[in-house]
Amino acid sequence: MLGLRLAILPLALFAATGLALPSRALAQDAGTAPCRLCTATAPDPSNARPATPLRLEVETRLDFDKVVFAGNGSAVVALSPGGGTRLSGAATAAGARAMPGAVLVRGEPGRAVTVELPRQVQLFGAGSGSISIDSLVTDLPSFPRIGEDGTLSFRFGGDLRLTGDSDGNYRGTIDIIVEYL
């Protein structure tokens, strides 16, 4: 009887140590492929930190040139990214040099980016007046991507709104945010 007990004990120890082995080793011993859920997944290359940081260069500033405003009511000067202008209300163009803004983005070739422009920009003159640029628009595609040469260029325009006494030279800044996806 004692001999039977000693024989069962080594079998029980062998079974216990066999259960303690990692499942990956058991699967390899059995001749099957290792468990895919048991290994760490490889990092997604699209989420990897880009090797090239983004740089933004302003090639041309947005310039509505000279506008004559009659001062009665309001006026809108619309400047498209392609350079076309459209006037409405109590305004007439006094110059023909209105220019859309042009930006060059440098970054990692082939990477998708997002480009954000503000909804409205306040412009301030020497006096107490201010005017605004609304509805900033670009000529970017729906899903912009850095080109194979490492650049992405785009142009932008908007609607200049004039009301009240708006005489003077006006200036402001447009914050453009460009990020990798």
Side-chain angles (χ1 to χ4, degrees):
M1 189 80 101
L2 183 61
L4 183 62
R5 281 188 180 168
L6 289 176
I8 293 175
L9 183 63
L11 286 175
L13 286 174
F14 179 72
T17 57
L19 291 176
L21 292 176
S23 62
R24 184 173 178 164
L26 285 176
Q28 288 175 345
D29 292 342
T32 60
C35 172
R36 290 186 185 174
L37 298 175
C38 300
T39 61
T41 58
D44 185 4
S46 65
N47 291 335
R49 185 179 177 113
T52 307
L54 284 168
R55 287 191 336 217
L56 189 123
E57 300 171 17
V58 176
E59 294 183 316
T60 307
R61 293 187 219 176
L62 180 61
D63 187 352
F64 286 89
D65 198 23
K66 296 177 184 164
V67 178
V68 176
F69 178 54
N72 300 329
S74 63
V76 175
V77 179
L79 178 58
S80 74
T85 57
R86 186 180 71 247
L87 302 160
S88 63
T92 58
R97 294 187 331 219
M99 298 200 41
V103 174
L104 179 67
V105 178
R106 294 184 188 276
E108 189 172 308
R111 286 293 298 255
V113 295
T114 60
V115 178
E116 294 180 33
L117 284 93
R119 293 183 185 263
Q120 183 181 52
V121 177
Q122 288 296 119
L123 305 176
F124 300 95
S128 61
S130 71
I131 57 178
S132 66
I133 301 174
D134 300 330
S135 305
L136 287 167
V137 293
T138 71
D139 61 358
L140 285 166
S142 298
F143 300 103
R145 186 174 292 278
I146 303 290
E148 293 305 316
D149 64 349
T151 65
L152 168 69
S153 62
F154 67 93
R155 295 173 11 157
F156 65 96
D159 296 342
L160 178 67
R161 299 200 181 277
L162 307 166
T163 58
D165 185 16
S166 301
D167 188 27
N169 291 323
Y170 290 87
R171 300 202 186 285
T173 58
I174 299 173
D175 295 324
I176 300 172
I177 300 170
V178 179
E179 295 178 319
Y180 286 119
L181 283 180

